[in-house]
Amino acid sequence: MDISELQVGFKDVYDTDATNFFFSPGRINLIGEHTDYNGGHVFPAAISLGTYAAVSPSKDNELHFFSANYPKNGEVVVSLTNLEYKKEDSWTNYLKGMFTFLDQTPDQDAYSFGLNIYIKGNLPAASGLSSSASMEMLAGIIITSMYDIEIDPLEIVQTGKQVENEYIGVNSGIMDQFAVEMGKKNQAVFLDTNTLEYKLFPINLEDMSIVIMNTNKPRNLVDGKYNERRAECEEALTRLQDVVNIESLGELDEKSFDEYCYAIGDETLIKRARHAVIENQRTIRAGEAMTNNDLQQFGRLMNASHISLEYDYEVTGIELDTLVHTAWQQDGVLGARMTGAGFGGCAIALVENDAIDNLKKEVTAAYEKATDFSPSFYITEISDGPIELF
Ligand code: GLA
């Protein structure tokens, strides 16, 4: 996106010039789904689709927000002295939450002036590509730059998670904020969510691309299904702790899970825990496959991940399944799986470049036949974390 486009939009709304410009990416998750709140591994990457902001200091003590994506909402104005969550403030809550919690860090005074903030994103909202973490990490770079303060990136990541958990009410893990903030161009983030140790893996796709396939079925994590899965894993863990000394499901492997899962004693809970345990092991294997540049093996692990999310974790549904199953049948597709929380949103496919057109054609036909929606496709680059644009 052109800075001049942001500048013009900003001036239309605030009748003054923007002084600073920022970009914060979204993310895809290559593999390791619903493992980040179970002490497991994840393997996401920041992408070149994301959220842009044009900003200037304001003359008052207020935050002024406007989104070019939701022009009908108009300008949302909140006082810096009253940043409490309000449902009607919709998307601005992600930024308000960041202002709220970053202000509580010990060595930081209250913000000394307000801001005019104009947002424009090219990330489809509620699509499993982390538009919310993109906005949270955007707030992080806006705050550090505009108020000239230093905040450790890990603290910004953890604050984003805190916003989701305590301010928005989604009991999410740390993957999205970590991937967005720590992402690097052409590298994926292999993160152990138990220790927060991570490695950056070069993603060398050669004549292949990662194609994002959007179900265009909106999903809302606040509606409870996400939190329900998390609670099911916690219950399974509690039951396992009667027979084995573990702090998280991520500490088990296939063999130990097999030996102890009798203690869970409930079919649904066994399936949820089995996904968490095996998906974590699969993600470790996927990291090895990527290190060996074995994309065939990586693709098979992506497929296995989807199967586990479909049958054991039950977070896919007809829309995601149709996209992914149809992709599997096409020549030149090495692997495909849903990405993100599921329940709608997006899937990804690892595809040879000369097979992309056929993939789009066949997936669109099958998807329109099976559902009430049409799919969208995006081919994005793996990108850097939040940046200030000049
Ligand atoms: C959402 C959450 C993440 C993670 C994924 C599923 O994106 O925000 O923390 O749990 O779902 O892997």
Side-chain angles (χ1 to χ4, degrees):
M1 195 174 305
D2 217 322
I3 286 195
S4 62
E5 199 181 323
L6 293 171
Q7 183 66 281
V8 169
F10 183 95
K11 196 156 189 177
D12 261 3
V13 175
Y14 296 117
D15 203 21
T16 181
D17 285 326
T19 54
N20 301 68
F21 300 87
F22 303 92
F23 171 74
S24 174
R27 67 101 189 86
I28 49 172
N29 186 19
L30 298 174
I31 195 163
E33 216 66 84
H34 290 277
T35 48
D36 67 342
Y37 50 85
N38 285 310
H41 291 75
V42 292
F43 201 6
I47 56 174
S48 50
L49 295 170
T51 321
Y52 292 81
V55 182
S56 79
S58 73
K59 297 201 177 82
D60 49 29
N61 200 30
E62 288 167 344
L63 294 175
H64 301 249
F65 297 109
F66 184 93
S67 168
N69 299 90
Y70 303 102
K72 286 198 187 122
N73 289 8
E75 190 183 330
V76 177
V77 184
V78 296
S79 165
L80 273 166
T81 54
N82 180 9
L83 288 171
E84 72 190 29
Y85 176 88
K86 286 203 192 103
K87 191 161 190 264
E88 63 272 23
D89 287 349
S90 73
W91 62 272
T92 70
N93 282 308
Y94 295 105
L95 295 119
K96 284 169 52 191
M98 291 297 286
F99 276 85
T100 304
F101 293 134
L102 283 177
D103 190 29
Q104 289 168 0
T105 55
D107 54 353
Q108 194 187 326
D109 294 333
Y111 311 110
S112 45
F113 52 88
L115 297 175
N116 300 315
I117 302 177
Y118 175 91
I119 301 274
K120 189 163 187 180
N122 54 13
L123 199 60
S127 64
L129 303 178
S130 282
S131 54
S132 58
S134 176
M135 275 196 283
E136 288 152 7
M137 300 302 97
L138 181 68
I141 194 169
I142 291 175
I143 291 169
T144 50
S145 170
M146 298 304 290
Y147 298 105
D148 198 19
I149 46 179
E150 267 187 40
I151 309 176
D152 181 352
L154 187 58
E155 187 183 333
I156 298 180
V157 168
Q158 279 163 329
T159 305
K161 178 173 182 290
Q162 188 187 5
V163 168
E164 295 286 345
N165 298 167
E166 296 172 23
Y167 194 84
I168 305 290
V170 179
N171 216 355
S172 57
I174 205 163
M175 169 173 74
D176 301 346
Q177 292 77 13
F178 206 100
V180 168
E181 183 73 17
M182 306 298 195
K184 288 275 173 287
K185 193 169 173 54
N186 294 331
Q187 299 183 65
V189 182
F190 186 78
L191 168 69
D192 179 344
T193 62
N194 198 21
T195 59
L196 295 187
E197 277 169 25
Y198 73 104
K199 282 188 251 169
L200 292 168
F201 279 45
I203 300 297
N204 189 359
L205 296 180
E206 289 160 13
D207 54 354
M208 272 172 253
S209 298
I210 294 167
V211 177
I212 300 174
M213 307 184 284
N214 190 350
T215 61
N216 287 319
K217 182 190 177 202
R219 89 278 169 277
N220 180 359
L221 296 192
V222 192
D223 71 6
K225 282 280 171 210
Y226 182 92
N227 288 349
E228 182 185 292
R229 288 295 177 280
R230 181 162 184 162
E232 286 166 344
C233 286
E234 278 162 9
E235 179 59 29
L237 174 65
T238 305
R239 296 183 186 193
L240 281 163
Q241 284 168 333
D242 284 342
V243 294
V244 57
N245 183 17
I246 50 168
E247 302 273 321
S248 72
L249 294 175
E251 288 171 40
L252 297 177
D253 59 14
E254 284 96 337
K255 192 164 153 282
S256 47
F257 181 76
D258 195 39
E259 283 168 20
Y260 294 118
C261 69
Y262 72 92
I264 301 175
D266 173 90
E267 186 187 349
T268 302
L269 297 183
I270 289 172
K271 290 202 291 183
R272 305 300 187 244
R274 185 165 59 205
H275 168 77
V277 169
I278 297 181
E279 177 77 351
N280 179 41
Q281 297 298 316
R282 192 181 285 127
T283 304
I284 295 169
R285 270 151 57 214
E288 288 160 10
M290 197 54 93
T291 310
N292 300 333
N293 227 0
D294 187 349
L295 293 178
Q296 301 280 351
Q297 168 74 351
F298 195 89
R300 283 191 293 271
L301 292 167
M302 289 172 75
N303 298 349
S305 167
H306 187 89
I307 289 286
S308 180
L309 289 155
E310 179 177 345
Y311 292 102
D312 275 355
Y313 221 62
E314 297 180 282
V315 292
T316 57
I318 174 140
E319 291 84 8
L320 284 164
D321 291 338
T322 304
L323 293 181
V324 168
H325 295 184
T326 312
W328 288 344
Q329 289 156 16
Q330 307 312 313
D331 287 341
V333 173
L334 277 76
R337 60 181 291 277
M338 56 154 270
T339 192
F343 315 107
C346 287
I348 52 173
L350 180 59
V351 193
E352 288 168 7
N353 288 336
D354 56 13
I356 293 176
D357 286 346
N358 175 64
L359 171 79
K360 287 187 188 170
K361 189 172 111 248
E362 295 298 329
V363 168
T364 302
Y367 190 66
E368 287 178 348
K369 199 164 159 210
T371 73
D372 295 335
F373 304 98
S374 281
S376 307
F377 300 90
Y378 324 95
I379 298 166
T380 61
E381 315 263 296
I382 293 186
S383 108
D384 283 321
I387 44 165
E388 181 151 12
L389 308 164
F390 297 97

